[in-house]
Amino acid sequence: MLKKVAAALLGTSLLFGGITMTNSKETDAKVNYDLKGKVKNIIFMVPDGFSASYATNYRWYKGQEAAWDSMLVGMMRTYSANSEVTDSAAAGTAMATGYKTNNGVISMTPDGKSLKTLLEGAQEVGKATGLVATSTITHATPAVFSSHVASRASEADIAIQMLDHNVDVMLGGGKNNFITKAQGGKQETRDLLAEAKRAGYTIAEDANSLKEAKGEKVLGLFAPEGMAPELDRDETGQPSLADMTKTALNKLKKDKDGFFLMVEGSQIDWAGHAHDAAWAMKDAEAFEQAVKEVIRFAEKDGQTVVVVAGDHDTGGMSVGGYGQYDAKLEVLRNVTATGDFMVKQFNLDKTNIKEIVKTYTQIDLSDQEVEKIKAAGSKASIVLNEIISEKALVGWTSTQHTGVDVPLYAFGPKSDLFRGLKENIELPIIMGRLIGVNLR
């Protein structure tokens, strides 16, 4: 039924399995907005693909509480306008605009109307803005805050809109999308990097140039496509997510009117798609380091609201499994490369599989496991990842997203407004009103 009445989400309620799914207008009415007090800055942190299972496994992996555990205020529903299971475009649109849309759509309604975003609203009230991600900066989650396209695949057009929106700080991968491209499918081309320089952006291409970046506007493009996974980042000159977050904070805090910043830990999701539990945990660790940078800033500032929420679950990760009442996340602490990286080290006849896996995981594969990897062909990395996951007793149910509710965390003044079981469309409405922005 949900798929048949997607467009009605903008104007009426949805009946879904006997439960009334709230729409945007009802969300406005039911939230008690206590706006007494001062909020200057909003920092929205999105660990893409992160659910309660990731949070629990990460706690065991780390061996102690995570930085966000004390910030837990509730849970969040994630479904899109046309599916019980959302993609990042529809989930991001909901969290950027306060409206549900169809999977694949970037900050537009299902019938093609552009939706005002929280970032655009922040600009209207004079605030500086920033976007940070470890995917391409034109990927779905950062894209929803500063562009409006019918398909998330239109990353070249998204890059154009991001520059046209004059976002002050943009840091991530995706340099290829800013090199001379055809605009809107036409023959006309635009050199977006040259345009960015003329618009006053400092261009950063690695960790060193990011540290040295002068001026208040920075465009950091640290990889042709997505950035390296945290497990493999030492092989590159790329900055960490915490490095990028710290730079963004240092630039944006100079605006006397405050700022809006979105930080995405993009590759937790990519790890879930690949069933790479070690990659997921290491990128969760990298995301936690960025959260710590933000909390240090917010504690000192006293006028900053921090909201942390994954956009959906990826992979259907379990805590324990395989018929055992146990979890062995310590196995993943010894893994020093992604499955993708390890498979690329296999020789042509695949006679070195045991040696490579032992080097990067300290795991001794059985002959049967080696043969299983050999027989997997193009799916060798996911088979390897599942073997490692099984040894850590981390299960998977899908290579795609799932529709489970996700944890919601908040810190700072008015963080109590985020308590309870929220619709994802509620978050931008609340954050917007705290800084004087009405997305309606």
Side-chain angles (χ1 to χ4, degrees), residues 18-273:
I19 300 171
T20 299
M21 293 301 189
T22 54
N23 66 20
S24 301
K25 291 181 181 178
E26 290 170 339
T27 296
D28 266 351
K30 78 176 186 176
V31 176
N32 178 24
Y33 296 106
D34 175 11
L35 299 180
K36 295 177 182 178
K38 189 175 182 182
V39 172
K40 185 177 180 182
N41 310 310
I42 298 286
I43 304 175
F44 192 8
M45 305 193 72
V46 181
D48 198 305
F50 187 91
S51 63
S53 293
Y54 284 77
T56 305
N57 273 329
Y58 180 68
R59 195 180 304 117
W60 287 116
Y61 171 84
K62 182 181 179 182
Q64 61 187 56
E65 297 287 299
W68 46 71
D69 283 337
S70 62
M71 298 162 51
L72 182 69
V73 292
M75 297 290 288
M76 186 179 76
R77 295 172 175 174
T78 65
Y79 63 94
S80 69
N82 68 332
S83 177
E84 299 89 339
V85 181
T86 190
D87 81 326
S88 290
T93 295
M95 297 193 296
T97 71
Y99 284 95
K100 298 276 188 179
T101 195
N102 294 343
N103 287 354
V105 178
I106 298 291
S107 291
M108 300 176 75
T109 64
D111 59 357
K113 297 177 183 178
S114 291
L115 294 165
K116 180 178 176 179
T117 75
L118 183 56
L119 182 146
E120 290 168 340
Q123 289 179 323
E124 288 176 2
V125 296
K127 295 186 183 295
T129 55
L131 297 169
V132 175
T134 53
S135 62
T136 59
I137 197 61
T138 49
H139 211 256
T141 303
V144 297
F145 289 92
S146 57
S147 66
H148 309 268
V149 294
S151 171
R152 60 181 291 178
S154 303
E155 291 195 56
D157 293 330
I158 290 167
I160 291 169
Q161 291 191 38
M162 283 182 155
L163 286 181
D164 289 345
H165 273 83
N166 201 31
V167 181
D168 296 284
V169 177
M170 293 182 283
L171 306 176
K175 184 177 180 180
N176 284 352
N177 295 317
F178 289 80
I179 297 172
T180 304
K181 293 277 186 178
Q183 182 185 4
K186 301 177 182 178
Q187 294 301 312
E188 178 188 357
T189 59
R190 291 172 62 171
D191 188 339
L192 299 183
L193 286 178
E195 287 187 27
K197 291 177 183 177
R198 289 196 295 270
Y201 285 93
T202 298
I203 308 299
E205 297 184 339
D206 55 30
N208 289 332
S209 59
L210 180 63
K211 289 179 182 178
E212 297 170 359
K214 306 297 182 183
E216 296 179 6
K217 296 174 67 175
V218 182
L219 175 60
L221 300 170
F222 306 109
E225 299 295 339
M227 295 176 65
E230 185 65 19
L231 275 172
D232 304 336
R233 189 173 58 82
D234 287 346
E235 302 291 322
T236 72
Q238 299 174 9
S240 67
L241 184 62
D243 292 336
M244 293 190 290
T245 301
K246 188 173 182 179
T247 296
L249 290 172
N250 287 337
K251 299 295 183 183
L252 298 176
K253 71 181 182 182
K254 296 176 183 178
D255 192 308
K256 62 181 178 60
D257 297 312
F259 64 83
F260 168 78
L261 171 64
M262 191 288 299
V263 177
E264 183 191 34
S266 316
Q267 297 192 30
I268 298 169
D269 168 73
W270 296 1
H273 284 294

Side-chain angles (χ1 to χ4, degrees), residues 247-306:
T247 296
L249 290 172
N250 287 337
K251 299 295 183 183
L252 298 176
K253 71 181 182 182
K254 296 176 183 178
D255 192 308
K256 62 181 178 60
D257 297 312
F259 64 83
F260 168 78
L261 171 64
M262 191 288 299
V263 177
E264 183 191 34
S266 316
Q267 297 192 30
I268 298 169
D269 168 73
W270 296 1
H273 284 294
H275 291 182
D276 193 327
W279 180 4
M281 293 299 100
K282 196 66 177 179
D283 266 78
E285 181 180 74
F287 183 78
E288 184 186 29
Q289 295 307 309
V291 170
K292 289 179 178 179
E293 289 288 348
V294 164
I295 296 304
R296 276 193 287 270
F297 173 85
E299 285 176 335
K300 184 177 179 179
D301 174 74
Q303 300 177 78
T304 298
V305 172
V306 181

